[in-house]
Amino acid sequence: MADPATVTADAVMARMALPYRQRAAAGDARARAALEDSAYWAALHNAVRQLARPGWPANVEHTRHDAYVTARAAQHPSGTADVPFELSRARGTDNDVVVKELAVIGAVLNDPARARRFRYTPSSPDASPYWLQPQDFADPSTAEIWDALVTGPDPAIALPAATDPHLAPEQRTAAMIQHIATRLDYNDYHRCTGSEAAKARLDAGANQLIAAYLTRASAPDYSPNPDRAAEYAVSFVLEPSIPAVVEDLAGRVRDHGLSDAPLGQIALELSTHVYALDQLAERLRAAPRSLTVPSTPEHTAPAAPQEAGEQPSYTSRPTERRVLVSLLQDPGQLRDGPARSLAAQDFTQPEHAYLFQALRSLRPHAARDPWLLADQANKLAHSDGAPALDPAELSSIGYAARTLKVPPAGQAAGHLITLTVRRTAREASTVARAAARTTRDPRALIDHSRTQFQQATREALRYHARSVPEPAPHGTRPANIA
């Protein structure tokens, strides 16, 4: 009669190899190479066979669960080059950072019941029920460990052995660490055909070294007070990650604002970033509040320095003049066509913005009169407390409206509208990135950045239904934003 442990290992290996056989049959050379690595499969077969022996774990259900977990790893391999989820930009992982992150992980390994302090009820049914996520960790290794321990599919804290009262605490911890090391090994093996770093980790036995570190971190005396793991997580993991997340989102806002996509698509992309900030704020609210909250202005941030290098133009003063001249000649365009979607913020020169407001406020016959129009523009500027408008610019536009014939304002209006969306996205990105580097209170940083991103989203959505024409490519000469 065959050894039951060997039968179990044979079944698990057959299930794990199935996705590779399918890909190899489809012509995947990397999958074929993986199947031919007999040393790896032999080592993994031996590890599963050891797990499946009757003496350990104490219950046959544990064997079934371990086999199931290994098979699930084959069904959900990582397709990325490094870790199976996206990390924000690196925050500088010195030894002190890693030690504190390991303290949080070790506390849960020591007592899986502590993971309950990381649970909450998210507003979105698709969100993870844990307020601490792998991407909050600064080090990719600790991020992947947290995924395997708590938040990922079939986490180590769900192992039957993790809560088996018949096992000693050291045995329960060892079962979870073995589970984590197995998943790390499998993920690295899956990645190693396209990642030299993953292959080097396997060759060096890095995951066995990680298992040894986890054993040390799970000791009751590793951190001052393991029962404060949730507070440690807020202070040393979650809050330090927020500036990195905001800066990363700000970079994406800038990219979406500069893209050639339609304005509706840009608005959709920007709104997803607002949603991401909302989810981050929700996780932060669910976490234990910091013992001290930095006393910083809630919604203020210094202006960011202009980025070096030649930048595309986000303004077009000649186009603004051409649109105003066309509207002076035919104010009825404000009721029909793309020009009716224009707003004062689409004009970057003060004289142009107030002339446009004056056009909107006057009756059509009065709006055609350049003297009445200039007078109304000056009154509006004075009411707002703005500096006096340049009379030469007002007079020049009025003269052009009487002497030049210009085409309808539709296409040029679409140009101004799109420039406003791109300019607003760029400004939101610049302000949010500056705040991420200076604001100490993460809650204020999230609120401030959300306000910036919402404004950029509103500008893109304002014209979504109009399908305004996209402008010609940016000119080669940069122009400052007024």
Side-chain angles (χ1 to χ4, degrees):
M1 182 177 177
D3 176 19
T6 301
V7 172
T8 299
D10 289 344
V12 172
M13 293 303 99
R15 183 63 187 84
M16 288 180 65
L18 181 60
Y20 290 93
R21 291 198 181 97
Q22 292 172 339
R23 295 205 301 269
D28 188 336
R30 294 191 300 175
R32 190 177 302 108
L35 285 172
E36 293 171 355
D37 189 350
S38 57
Y40 169 78
W41 293 102
L44 193 58
H45 184 280
N46 181 64
V48 175
R49 186 162 48 84
Q50 293 297 326
L51 290 174
R53 291 197 179 282
W56 190 93
N59 192 307
V60 69
E61 289 298 323
H62 301 174
T63 303
R64 294 182 183 140
H65 182 82
D66 291 335
Y68 169 73
V69 166
T70 309
R72 281 290 297 272
Q75 293 175 337
H76 303 283
S78 172
T80 59
D82 192 15
V83 293
F85 38 77
E86 184 177 357
L87 286 173
S88 300
R89 69 162 170 80
R91 305 196 298 274
T93 54
D94 57 25
N95 187 61
D96 185 59
V97 170
V98 176
V99 166
K100 290 174 178 176
E101 292 183 345
L102 283 174
V104 175
I105 291 169
V108 176
L109 283 169
N110 178 267
D111 182 4
R114 292 186 176 117
R116 287 197 293 267
R117 298 200 63 192
F118 297 91
R119 290 188 66 88
Y120 80 115
T121 303
S123 60
S124 169
D126 300 325
S128 169
Y130 293 95
W131 54 259
L132 187 66
Q133 288 290 297
Q135 60 266 27
D136 300 325
F137 288 77
D139 185 83
S141 296
T142 50
E144 192 162 6
I145 291 166
W146 186 255
D147 188 60
L149 174 64
V150 176
T151 59
D154 305 307
I157 59 173
L159 284 170
T163 54
D164 190 337
H166 299 98
L167 296 179
E170 295 80 6
Q171 290 175 303
R172 292 195 290 266
T173 299
M176 289 186 285
I177 292 175
Q178 177 65 38
H179 171 94
I180 293 169
T182 300
R183 287 199 68 90
L184 296 183
D185 268 338
Y186 188 83
N187 283 339
D188 273 342
Y189 182 75
H190 177 78
R191 294 191 290 257
C192 70
T193 54
S195 169
E196 289 298 323
K199 187 174 186 303
R201 284 194 296 269
L202 284 175
D203 293 342
N207 293 326
Q208 284 66 46
L209 183 62
I210 287 175
Y213 274 112
L214 293 179
T215 301
R216 289 172 50 195
S218 64
D221 60 351
Y222 180 83
S223 65
N225 188 343
D227 287 329
R228 288 184 176 167
E231 286 83 353
Y232 294 162
V234 174
S235 297
F236 306 135
V237 184
L238 178 58
E239 288 188 346
S241 77
I242 289 173
V245 173
V246 170
E247 191 162 349
D248 180 59
L249 289 174
R252 298 186 196 184
V253 165
R254 180 182 182 278
D255 291 343
H256 291 315
L258 298 180
S259 70
D260 292 330
L263 299 187
Q265 181 63 32
I266 293 175
L268 179 62
E269 296 289 352
L270 295 179
S271 66
T272 63
H273 302 329
V274 176
Y275 176 76
L277 282 179
D278 288 341
Q279 293 295 105
L280 183 59
E282 183 180 80
R283 291 200 288 123
L284 186 59
R285 285 194 300 270
R289 194 162 181 91
S290 297
L291 297 179
T292 59
V293 178
S295 56
T296 56
E298 285 296 307
H299 298 291
T300 60
Q306 293 293 324
E307 297 184 18
E310 185 173 293
Q311 301 295 339
S313 172
Y314 297 98
T315 64
S316 179
R317 304 289 176 82
T319 304
E320 293 179 17
R321 288 172 56 89
R322 189 162 64 250
V323 167
L324 289 170
V325 169
S326 179
L327 294 178
L328 261 167
Q329 293 176 348
D330 181 10
Q333 295 178 90
L334 290 172
R335 295 190 298 271
D336 300 298
R340 66 175 176 168
S341 295
L342 283 168
Q345 60 263 37
D346 298 323
F347 298 87
T348 57
Q349 187 166 334
E351 288 77 14
H352 298 170
Y354 282 107
L355 274 176
F356 177 78
Q357 291 185 57
L359 275 165
R360 298 288 298 257
S361 66
L362 294 174
R363 295 181 180 277
H365 70 276
R368 290 191 180 92
D369 188 314
W371 284 6
L372 292 177
L373 188 67
D375 181 65
Q376 178 70 357
N378 280 307
K379 288 178 180 177
L380 292 171
H382 180 74
S383 175
D384 289 345
L389 302 181
D390 180 6
E393 180 68 11
L394 300 179
S395 176
S396 174
I397 292 175
Y399 179 77
R402 296 195 305 272
T403 59
L404 299 178
K405 183 63 177 175
V406 297
Q411 185 174 2
H415 194 147
L416 295 183
I417 288 168
T418 305
L419 288 180
T420 297
V421 173
R422 304 199 191 291
R423 182 173 63 251
T424 307
R426 175 62 179 275
E427 290 171 348
S429 168
T430 303
V431 171
R433 292 176 74 177
R437 294 166 183 162
T438 57
T439 305
R440 296 177 57 207
D441 183 353
R443 291 165 176 82
L445 173 59
I446 290 174
D447 291 343
H448 181 66
S449 301
R450 184 197 289 114
T451 299
Q452 299 297 322
F453 293 175
Q454 285 174 336
Q455 175 62 24
T457 305
R458 281 194 295 268
E459 289 299 336
L461 284 174
R462 188 157 55 105
Y463 312 106
H464 177 38
R466 306 298 183 191
S467 300
V468 297
E470 287 284 326
H474 293 302
T476 57
R477 294 183 59 190
N480 294 327
I481 300 174

